[in-house]
Amino acid sequence: MQDDIDHILIDRHNIAQRVETVASQIMSDLLADAKGEGESLEITLVPLLTGSFIFAADLIRHLPVKMKIRLLSVSSYPGTATSSRGAQIKDDLSYLPASLAGQHVLVIDDILDSGNTLKLVSKTLAAMNPASLRTCVLLRKQRPEAMVFPVDYVAFDIPDEFVVGYGLDFNDHYRNLPDIVTLREEVIAQAIANEKAAGTTES
Ligand code: IMP
Ligand code: MG
């Protein structure tokens, strides 16, 4: 697995530092909300699976506030795809409460690329009438669609290249790498060739 890495883009120490900073931004915005409404603060977190599970796990331990966690499964990069194939919510939506009325909702995703995933999820959740709806991503790719997409918190802006590690996968692998890295081109080419040979490539 280590041999497949081209280079480290963001190392684990930088990630840990930045996660703490983003968490304190989130906390101060939430406290401002609570003050305005004179309510006791509680939030509903919606981490998008699978890519955000490590980021969400680290982030929530820096959010000292009462919270509910609703995991939501969304897919857009099946198998060896390295560009979006359109987002799809995979869960039966009945898993979410029928209404989010009065709740402060924070959606957490791993990476903002085409924006299809967050657009779909935000639209779905906004229709459930939350008191506030914010979005937080670990990474944002520096491509035009992503840079204009409205998102509340971004931990890192990165070049428009395919990355894995710290929850992000290629073909379901590499999520356990502690750093955010790029893969060698041959590794991606080989996986795509293997998939073609097995006749499983999606069109
Ligand atoms: P979007 O819907 O195009 O914004 O894509 C978001 C989803 O695509 C993310 O939640 C990831 O699961 C996946 N994705 C986009 N770029 C990458 C990448 O560089 N590496 C791994 N997964 C990615
Ligand atoms: Mg994802």
Side-chain angles (χ1 to χ4, degrees):
M1 188 171 70
Q2 302 299 326
D3 292 346
D4 296 349
I5 297 174
D6 185 274
H7 65 275
I8 294 180
L9 197 63
I10 309 168
D11 73 37
R12 62 199 80 179
H13 307 293
N14 278 332
I15 298 171
Q17 272 178 5
R18 189 67 191 132
V19 166
E20 258 195 86
T21 307
V22 171
S24 54
Q25 286 168 0
I26 292 171
M27 274 312 293
S28 61
D29 290 346
L30 284 167
L31 291 171
D33 280 353
K35 219 181 206 166
E37 296 168 22
E39 63 183 332
S40 63
L41 188 53
E42 176 171 338
I43 64 174
T44 299
L45 246 86
V46 182
L48 305 186
L49 295 175
T50 306
S52 79
F53 80 113
I54 295 180
F55 177 42
D58 284 345
L59 191 69
I60 60 174
R61 282 175 286 176
H62 294 289
L63 296 173
V65 61
K66 201 168 175 189
M67 65 171 68
K68 290 184 181 132
I69 299 176
R70 309 278 190 189
L71 302 170
L72 199 61
S73 205
V74 181
S75 138
S76 57
Y77 275 44
T80 57
T82 56
S83 63
S84 176
R85 304 278 168 90
Q88 221 183 338
I89 293 180
K90 293 204 289 188
D91 286 319
D92 175 358
L93 276 178
S94 61
Y95 171 73
L96 287 170
S99 157
L100 291 169
Q103 298 188 40
H104 294 290
V105 177
L106 177 67
V107 178
I108 302 179
D109 204 6
D110 53 358
I111 186 164
L112 176 60
D113 184 12
S114 70
N116 288 335
T117 305
L118 277 186
K119 198 182 290 171
L120 175 72
V121 172
S122 302
K123 197 176 142 209
T124 307
L125 298 181
M128 299 165 89
N129 210 20
S132 70
L133 178 61
R134 292 195 173 97
T135 48
C136 174
V137 294
L138 172 69
L139 305 173
R140 174 170 62 186
K141 283 195 186 172
Q142 284 171 317
R143 52 182 281 194
E145 304 92 307
M147 298 306 287
V148 299
F149 191 89
V151 59
D152 297 285
Y153 309 98
V154 177
F156 298 97
D157 278 312
I158 61 162
D160 187 6
E161 48 187 344
F162 196 78
V163 294
V164 298
Y166 194 70
L168 290 110
D169 76 303
F170 170 61
N171 209 12
D172 281 333
H173 293 142
Y174 309 106
R175 295 193 196 274
N176 53 324
L177 290 172
D179 307 303
I180 295 167
V181 307
T182 60
L183 292 174
R184 291 191 297 113
E185 267 175 38
E186 308 88 88
V187 173
I188 294 178
Q190 187 62 56
I192 292 171
N194 290 349
E195 198 179 64
K196 268 200 184 127
T200 55
T201 306
E202 302 192 22
S203 55

